Amino acid sequence: MKRLINRLNTGHPVPFAWCGISDPRYLEMVAGYGFEAVLLDMQHGFFDETGVLNGIAAVAARGKAPLVRIPVGRWDTASRVMDFGPLGVVAPMVNSAVDAEAFVAAVKYIPTGERSYGPRQAAMVYGMSVPDYMDGIDAASLALAMIETRQAVAAVDEIVAVAGLDGVLIGPGDLSISIRQNRQPDAYGPDSLDAVNAVISAAKAAEKVTAAFAQTPEHANMLAALGVDMISIGEDGSYLDRGLAAHLSEIDFG
Ligand code: 3PY
Ligand code: MG
């Protein structure tokens, strides 16, 4: 259960997949590639609770860490999906320390938070006894707050100071929309780079995990050079776009 956390401490970025397609067979295939974790996206993807329950089991079956992104402000969902056995929950649009505290309360047990007791399924995912799961899960799982608005960047020092919050995850699309006040995103464009650097510095100063979304390999490599600890590599749409385009570009039917 500790593998994801251990990988974070090797000095190399941890690559993870970002999935909105909820079919467990698809997730198991994705998890079979060179990712350390697979994120199941309830905010913009097609995951309902049953999809998350089955998806977590599929990813864990491949020995990879399941992560779940909840919808905005859904601390009840954060608590519920933890009972399905992920090794991390990602909360979008965390704009203040108050948001971060509510998030931590939902996903960590006492004394750090107020997570309610119901761990049987989650323990079973890892073949653990319930007491062992209860003892280990807070340290083995990540509560990651997405920093993706101007307000969040302004409050980032207070957000990363929240006890029990394990780290931040940069959402570059929404961040650029908020910074530029332009609904057409410009992920990691010139207007966002100061904010991206400020978030990374604040999290590192607080000894918290830095994570970020990268739609392209170019952005992923740029984030690795900035010392980001966990980097998502593309998402279903880009996996299909690149894979299908590569197939079709080599077709010559005469
Ligand atoms: C963003 O870029 O805003 C994200 O939330 C990544 O999916
Ligand atoms: Mg976003």
Side-chain angles (χ1 to χ4, degrees):
M1 194 168 67
K2 278 243 165 100
R3 177 169 154 163
L4 176 61
I5 301 290
N6 293 340
R7 290 289 158 118
L8 282 169
N9 297 322
T10 58
H12 297 288
V14 170
F16 67 105
W18 197 286
C19 293
I21 296 174
S22 58
D23 188 299
R25 288 150 296 244
Y26 167 73
L27 295 165
E28 205 173 329
M29 281 194 273
V30 173
Y33 284 83
F35 300 110
E36 200 53 47
V38 178
L39 180 142
L40 317 182
D41 189 4
M42 297 182 88
Q43 185 194 10
H44 294 302
F46 308 127
F47 282 92
D48 58 13
E49 288 185 7
T50 306
V52 171
L53 179 67
N54 294 329
I56 285 172
V59 172
R62 282 283 183 162
K64 304 297 178 67
L67 307 172
V68 179
R69 176 163 77 168
I70 57 170
V72 175
R74 291 299 302 270
W75 314 130
D76 58 336
T77 303
S79 175
R80 178 152 173 71
V81 297
M82 275 307 289
D83 285 350
F84 298 165
L87 292 179
V89 175
V90 172
M93 298 282 186
V94 170
N95 286 336
S96 65
V98 171
D99 288 347
E101 280 161 6
F103 175 38
V104 169
V107 296
K108 301 285 184 180
Y109 287 117
I110 56 159
T112 311
E114 300 163 9
R115 180 178 165 193
S116 174
Y117 181 78
R120 185 177 291 274
Q121 166 65 19
M124 208 157 54
V125 169
Y126 301 99
M128 298 175 79
S129 72
V130 165
D132 283 351
Y133 173 86
M134 291 296 293
D135 279 345
I137 187 61
D138 280 359
S141 61
L142 297 172
L144 299 176
M146 288 194 75
I147 304 295
E148 47 184 350
T149 62
R150 292 197 289 202
Q151 300 94 295
V153 174
V156 71
D157 288 326
E158 294 97 77
I159 292 172
V160 295
V162 169
L165 186 80
D166 297 290
V168 294
L169 194 156
I170 296 167
D174 279 310
L175 183 60
S176 71
I177 287 173
S178 175
I179 287 176
R180 298 161 74 233
Q181 291 294 292
N182 179 335
R183 67 176 67 176
Q184 306 295 343
D186 180 23
Y188 301 113
D191 298 325
S192 305
L193 287 181
D194 285 350
V196 167
N197 283 313
V199 172
I200 294 170
S201 303
K204 285 190 181 294
E207 299 186 347
K208 298 286 171 93
V209 171
T210 53
F213 175 87
Q215 178 76 29
T216 64
E218 295 75 18
H219 285 164
N221 291 335
M222 183 268 296
L223 292 162
L226 293 177
V228 172
D229 300 310
M230 279 179 75
I231 302 169
S232 73
I233 316 285
E235 41 78 39
D236 305 316
S238 61
Y239 305 151
L240 286 172
D241 283 348
R242 285 183 176 238
L244 292 177
H247 270 290
L248 292 173
S249 70
E250 289 177 39
I251 295 298
D252 181 6
F253 285 173

